[in-house]
Amino acid sequence: MVDSRVAADGIGVVIFSLVLAAILAAVPLPEWAIGLRPAWVPLVLIYWVIAMPHRIGVVSGWLVGLFLDVLTGAVLGQNALALGMVAYIAYVLHLRIRVFPVWQQCLSILVLVGIYQLVSILVMRAVQMTPWTFWYWVSVVVSALVWPLVSLALGYLRGHRGS
């Protein structure tokens, strides 16, 4: 039996999808494929901020970012800051992004994930010397290309959450 509170607001689906995205972000890949990994957590977070801005926002982004920092061993606060910023921008623009056609949503995702990546890179470079390479930006493009699939999958989950 599904708890009526969870089914009423869909928070269980949101938490499940964010945890799954964090696991996908932490799964080890061969070195040649690391740059091709989409930014799963920002994609899922952006979807939920756009779809449920009354429930998912900056604090959610910050908490998910802290969880991702601990899970991946990143600098504590790196993903929290980046995801909080992306959640804020997505929240401010959610009414516009919702009505965009898919190709314009992909461009919006390109910018939002680019901001996430830029903040992450700047924090990493402030703490340790990391090389500034082209491969950081490939995942931004891959994320924008994957957005329609992520949006469809999460829309399906959102519409069929067990009523």
Side-chain angles (χ1 to χ4, degrees):
M1 183 93 186
V2 176
D3 185 5
S4 62
R5 290 175 293 157
V6 172
D9 60 11
I11 294 298
V13 172
V14 173
I15 293 170
F16 170 76
S17 63
L18 286 167
V19 168
L20 181 62
I23 291 170
L24 287 173
V27 169
L29 291 177
E31 191 170 326
W32 62 268
I34 290 174
L36 299 175
R37 181 196 323 242
W40 293 114
V41 176
L43 286 173
V44 173
L45 179 68
I46 291 166
Y47 176 84
W48 289 119
V49 170
I50 293 169
M52 298 174 55
H54 56 287
R55 297 268 188 222
I56 307 300
V58 177
V59 173
S60 302
W62 186 74
L63 290 173
V64 169
L66 281 179
F67 174 68
L68 189 60
D69 287 333
V70 171
L71 184 67
T72 61
V75 175
L76 192 60
Q78 169 185 332
N79 288 301
L81 175 64
L83 288 175
M85 288 179 66
V86 167
Y88 174 74
I89 296 168
Y91 177 78
V92 168
L93 299 175
H94 78 276
L95 291 176
R96 293 180 188 176
I97 296 172
R98 269 188 194 173
V99 298
F100 285 165
V102 174
W103 70 271
Q104 285 182 333
Q105 286 184 1
C106 288
L107 291 176
S108 300
I109 296 305
L110 184 77
V111 171
L112 288 170
V113 174
I115 291 169
Y116 164 78
Q117 198 72 341
L118 180 64
V119 171
S120 294
I121 290 168
L122 290 175
V123 169
M124 281 190 314
R125 288 187 60 88
V127 174
Q128 61 189 2
M129 196 48 136
T130 58
W132 189 278
T133 67
F134 166 76
W135 289 107
Y136 285 123
W137 305 109
V138 173
S139 71
V140 174
V141 175
V142 171
S143 298
L145 294 174
V146 170
W147 171 252
L149 298 174
V150 170
S151 180
L152 281 173
L154 292 175
Y156 178 80
L157 280 176
R158 183 176 176 224
H160 299 87
R161 63 176 175 253
S163 49

